[in-house]
Amino acid sequence: MSPRRAAPRRRSLRLGSRRLVGGLRVRLVVTFVLVALLSAVTATALAYRDARTAVLQRTQNTAVNDLRERVATVAAGFDLPPDQRSLSRFAARVSQGLGARTVVARHQDLFAVSDAYAGTEGRITAELRAAVRAGDGARFQRVQWRGEPYLVVGMPVTYADGDRRTSGLEVFAITDLRAERDDTAALLDSVREGTVPVMVAAALLALLAAGTVLRPVRKLGRATRELAAGDLGSRVAVRGHDELADLARTFNETADALQASDAELRAQEAKARRFVADVSHELRTPLAAMTMVATVLEEDADQLPPDAARAARTVGAETARLSRLVEDLMEISRFDAGAVRLDAAEADLADTVRASLALRGWTDRVDAELPEGVRAVVDRRRVDVIVANLVGNALQHGAPPVTVTLTAPEGDDGRVRLEVADHGPGLSPEARERVFDRFYKADEARTRNPSATGSGGQGSGLGTAIALENARLHGGTIGVGERAGGGAVFTLSLPASRPPGQAADEGQDR
């Protein structure tokens, strides 16, 4: 595989890997899963927050109400000021009505706990004692003690005389919140476990949605590639009334318009080719007669008056140029119609080039480096046309010395090269880009040099175009460049082996 064909393949591989990694299907699935994951996480967080708040709020309200009712009941028969025994009995009676909660009673310097083994220093904070001592009713606080959660509710005991005076007796109830913590944690775990099925369901739904969306997109892409490859009859079935259906309908309308335009252009091109071929063919007969007359006039020009002799020679030169133009037009029309035959046979290219130069009397005007033994499968007549055009252009538009160098294939290249260089002003970048265009002339003001004219049609603007077509017919090409010391360089590159599709003993249509 040549480098020119290998590069697009590498690009297609890179595009394929990029499509696999960042394709629309993958993006849809990832988007669905991310949205589902975000929704699940958000719902879990909200549910956990609301459930935890509700559980704690219920526990707090219950603890506050229970402590308030129990204190009111026990404090009704309690005498102040208490001693240590009565204060301990008070704490125990309050605790009996609150279940497993630890109760702490304080009166000035006296301190009593319903459960002697329960630690209270780390659970009843100074902030909570200060708030209770202020006498503003029941207060509560959630604390962490030894890594476990607790709810501490405190309240002052007031006199029952109606003025809400504090008695100096303070009561605190400690409630264990581990059960509530475990309940909310279990809720969080259940919601978290449900996230995995949600992700799987989201991925399945994404695959189904992607298939529904991508199926018509793939069909549209396939039809587009077929259209780009030249199948103008490629169409897409229109189903439904959504945006994809509108896109498919627009594609079909575009393809119809393109097919109609292509058919019209092909018809016009065929008419133009027929017109050129017909005109060229019709001109051949009168041109033949004109050529004979011009030849006779040129032969007798020396016997004519000076003005008549000059006119006769001018008519002869212009008639010859017109004949070459007609021949070139007919050759171009054969290339366009695909009716050109390549009669290829193995030949020594050095002999072929020398014969072409000798036929036109250019042997003494060209420095040729033609090593023997450089052989290739070529059509000698068409190689002669190429050499005549390239060398003729160098002699006519360049400056001496004109060099012709033949190079044998190097390494695994398998191509022979014929380089034609001159020492003239060279070609501008614009001229190098357009030098092979039909009817293009790098310098319209240049004087024609009939002695440099070859069989390729010098002066018509078709010579380099015909030379390039003949090179392509062999599976080769012609490049143009600039010499380091000035001047143009044309390089003919031909495969040494037989062009693809050509039989050994006969040519085939292009």
Side-chain angles (χ1 to χ4, degrees), residues 216-394:
V217 173
R218 283 196 299 268
K219 292 180 179 179
L220 182 61
R222 189 183 307 114
T224 303
R225 288 190 295 271
E226 293 173 353
L227 190 67
D231 183 9
L232 299 183
S234 179
R235 297 293 185 275
V236 180
V238 180
R239 294 185 177 89
H241 302 282
D242 55 6
E243 289 80 359
L244 290 175
D246 293 339
L247 181 61
R249 193 175 297 108
T250 302
F251 172 82
N252 291 340
E253 293 173 355
T254 303
D256 290 338
L258 183 61
Q259 189 174 29
S261 299
D262 180 75
E264 182 179 356
L265 289 175
R266 288 178 181 275
Q268 292 178 356
E269 185 180 4
K271 290 179 181 178
R273 285 199 301 266
R274 278 199 306 271
F275 175 77
V276 172
D278 292 343
V279 169
S280 301
H281 181 75
E282 293 299 326
L283 286 175
R284 295 186 72 180
T285 301
L287 274 175
M290 291 172 61
T291 301
M292 288 189 296
V293 173
T295 302
V296 172
L297 289 176
E298 283 188 294
E299 290 177 351
D300 296 338
D302 294 337
Q303 303 175 7
L304 297 176
D307 292 342
R310 189 182 308 107
R313 293 189 181 93
T314 301
V315 169
E318 293 302 319
T319 301
R321 195 172 74 87
L322 183 59
S323 297
R324 288 192 298 273
L325 175 60
V326 171
E327 293 296 330
D328 288 346
L329 288 174
M330 294 188 66
E331 184 72 2
I332 284 291
S333 66
R334 283 193 291 268
F335 276 113
D336 291 341
V340 178
R341 298 177 63 86
L342 185 66
D343 297 325
E346 188 174 5
D348 188 315
L349 286 182
D351 292 341
T352 303
V353 174
R354 273 194 292 266
S356 179
L357 298 176
L359 179 64
R360 293 161 182 80
W362 292 342
T363 303
D364 296 335
R365 303 178 60 190
V366 174
D367 296 335
E369 297 180 12
L370 306 173
E372 302 293 339
V374 181
R375 306 185 66 83
V377 180
V378 296
D379 185 332
R380 291 176 61 96
R381 183 181 69 84
R382 297 192 179 279
V383 172
D384 174 75
V385 172
I386 297 173
V387 173
N389 275 284
L390 299 184
V391 176
N393 278 337

Side-chain angles (χ1 to χ4, degrees), residues 76-160:
F78 186 69
D79 295 329
L80 294 173
D83 55 15
Q84 183 65 46
R85 179 179 298 179
S86 62
L87 186 62
S88 298
R89 188 166 50 250
F90 175 81
R93 290 184 62 188
V94 173
S95 177
Q96 289 173 0
L98 298 178
R101 298 171 189 166
T102 301
V103 175
V104 177
R106 285 179 176 274
H107 186 270
Q108 295 180 0
D109 296 333
L110 297 179
F111 177 82
V113 183
S114 62
D115 184 0
Y117 298 99
T120 61
E121 286 301 323
R123 289 185 280 185
I124 302 176
T125 63
E127 292 83 2
L128 181 61
R129 287 199 302 268
V132 172
R133 191 175 297 115
D136 292 334
R139 293 287 184 269
F140 62 87
Q141 185 180 33
R142 290 194 297 272
V143 296
Q144 290 283 334
W145 186 68
R146 295 180 180 176
E148 302 295 341
Y150 292 91
L151 174 66
V152 182
V153 180
M155 61 180 297
V157 178
T158 59
Y159 289 105

